[in-house]
Amino acid sequence: MADTTVKNDNIEMQKVAGPWKEAWRGFRKSKVAVVGMGIVIFFILLAIIGPLFTLQGINEQDMSQRFLPPSSTYWMGTDDFGRDILSRIVYGARISLWVGFLAVIASAIVGSFLGILAGYYGRWVDTIISRIFDIMLAFPSILLAIAVVSVLGPSLRNALIAIAIINVPNFGRLIRSKVLSIKEDEYIMSAKAIGMQDSRILFSHILPNSMAPVIVQGTLAIATAIIEAAALGFLGLGAQAPTPEWGKMLADSRSYLTNAPWTMIFPGLAIMLTVLGFNLMGDGLRDALDPRMKS
């Protein structure tokens, strides 16, 4: 009897792992997606171990070394306070990735919870939640983020909160549409027929079967969150000086574009490459996890 139970458990584990293994094989076949993953891994490693190899501290000033161009000593040059731009970009990677991951995780949790409730229960619950989503989506995301930060006050933490809030409807509507498509499936109807509690149906059956689009949306949303954090920092509503956030670095160096262009070029490249990496990886995940994209 025990052997039979173990065999059944193994079969169930293989059934669960099978689609994910197949998705991973499909993901690896896309060279563009692998390149995107490589870029993302590079910036994550840069954020984790990069500070161990930087030349100086992020706020260490040397006015005699102002506006030095890239060289063997200062690979990315120095800024208007003589600070090493490479050191600040490395530390800025921590901030941008931290904001991107935390904001998306928070918005995915809240949005998924509201989307499941709206899709599963329908009626007035769906009406109220959907109208809230519609109102939030009626505003351009960056304007809504600016409004939230204006109320809370300019800071990196409040920028993170604003970015999380504006991304909630995207996850909510995605999960709602997924729940509407699977809640009438036979296994859900069978679970209801045997008297299974709604909470168990939602979190044991519906949510696990809705994770694929959430993973894809989450990967793409991290790229968007990094851009939004940089935009808020550029406008002076996000990270405050002397925090080395990439958007803030762009704002501080825009006056020196003609005589010291490297002060803007390298933070801009860091933003572009990070966002490109997450977008390429997200496209690869979408192709691997969406059966409609498979030939």
Side-chain angles (χ1 to χ4, degrees):
M1 185 69 179
D3 293 339
T4 304
T5 303
V6 172
K7 290 181 181 179
N8 291 335
D9 292 340
N10 291 333
I11 292 174
E12 292 297 327
M13 292 177 63
Q14 291 175 2
K15 289 180 179 179
V16 173
W20 292 103
K21 288 183 178 179
E22 183 180 352
W24 172 241
R25 285 195 295 267
F27 179 85
R28 288 187 300 176
K29 291 180 181 178
S30 174
K31 295 181 180 180
V32 174
V34 173
V35 169
M37 184 176 67
I39 296 174
V40 170
I41 293 175
F42 169 77
F43 276 97
I44 291 175
L45 292 176
L46 184 69
I48 295 174
I49 65 176
L52 299 176
F53 305 99
T54 51
L55 184 63
Q56 60 180 214
I58 56 176
N59 296 318
E60 185 178 337
Q61 301 179 14
D62 186 353
M63 299 305 289
S64 65
Q65 304 294 319
R66 296 175 72 239
F67 296 128
L68 293 181
S71 64
S72 58
T73 303
Y74 297 98
W75 289 5
M76 294 184 179
T78 60
D79 62 8
D80 53 323
F81 287 101
R83 297 172 297 194
D84 181 32
I85 294 177
L86 175 60
S87 299
R88 292 177 63 78
I89 286 181
V90 168
Y91 278 90
R94 287 184 171 185
I95 296 173
S96 295
L97 293 175
W98 175 72
V99 171
F101 279 109
L102 285 187
V104 169
I105 290 172
S107 58
I109 292 174
V110 176
S112 298
F113 178 73
L114 294 176
I116 286 177
L117 293 181
Y120 185 77
Y121 290 106
R123 298 184 179 179
W124 63 270
V125 176
D126 186 18
T127 300
I128 293 175
I129 295 177
S130 296
R131 295 298 79 77
I132 293 174
F133 289 163
D134 291 340
I135 292 172
M136 295 177 67
L137 291 172
F139 297 92
S141 59
I142 189 62
L143 292 182
L144 184 58
I146 291 173
V148 174
V149 175
S150 299
V151 173
L152 299 177
S155 70
L156 183 62
R157 182 189 65 180
N158 292 339
L160 190 154
I161 294 173
I163 294 169
I165 290 174
I166 65 177
N167 280 290
V168 166
N170 297 325
F171 287 96
R173 296 187 69 176
L174 179 67
I175 288 294
R176 174 184 175 274
S177 63
K178 187 67 175 179
V179 172
L180 289 175
S181 66
I182 66 176
K183 73 174 186 178
E184 302 299 334
D185 288 349
E186 292 183 0
Y187 69 96
I188 300 296
M189 301 301 293
S190 299
K192 291 180 180 179
I194 63 175
M196 185 177 294
Q197 295 181 349
D198 288 346
S199 59
R200 186 175 177 184
I201 294 175
L202 291 174
F203 295 104
S204 298
H205 297 287
I206 293 181
L207 183 60
N209 287 285
S210 305
M211 287 306 297
V214 172
I215 293 173
V216 175
Q217 178 63 29
T219 305
L220 298 173
I222 292 174
T224 303
I226 291 174
I227 293 179
E228 290 164 345
L232 292 174
F234 186 86
L235 295 173
L237 298 174
Q240 302 298 301
T243 304
E245 192 272 328
W246 292 339
K248 181 62 177 172
M249 292 175 66
L250 285 176
D252 293 340
S253 60
R254 65 182 184 274
S255 301
Y256 313 113
L257 179 60
T258 55
N259 60 331
W262 57 87
T263 58
M264 286 195 69
I265 290 175
F266 291 113
L269 283 175
I271 295 172
M272 184 197 73
L273 290 175
T274 307
V275 171
L276 177 64
F278 279 106
N279 281 333
L280 293 178
M281 191 170 71
D283 288 341
L285 287 173
R286 180 195 59 199
D287 296 343
L289 294 174
D290 190 348
R292 294 172 297 181
M293 305 298 295
K294 300 175 182 178
S295 57

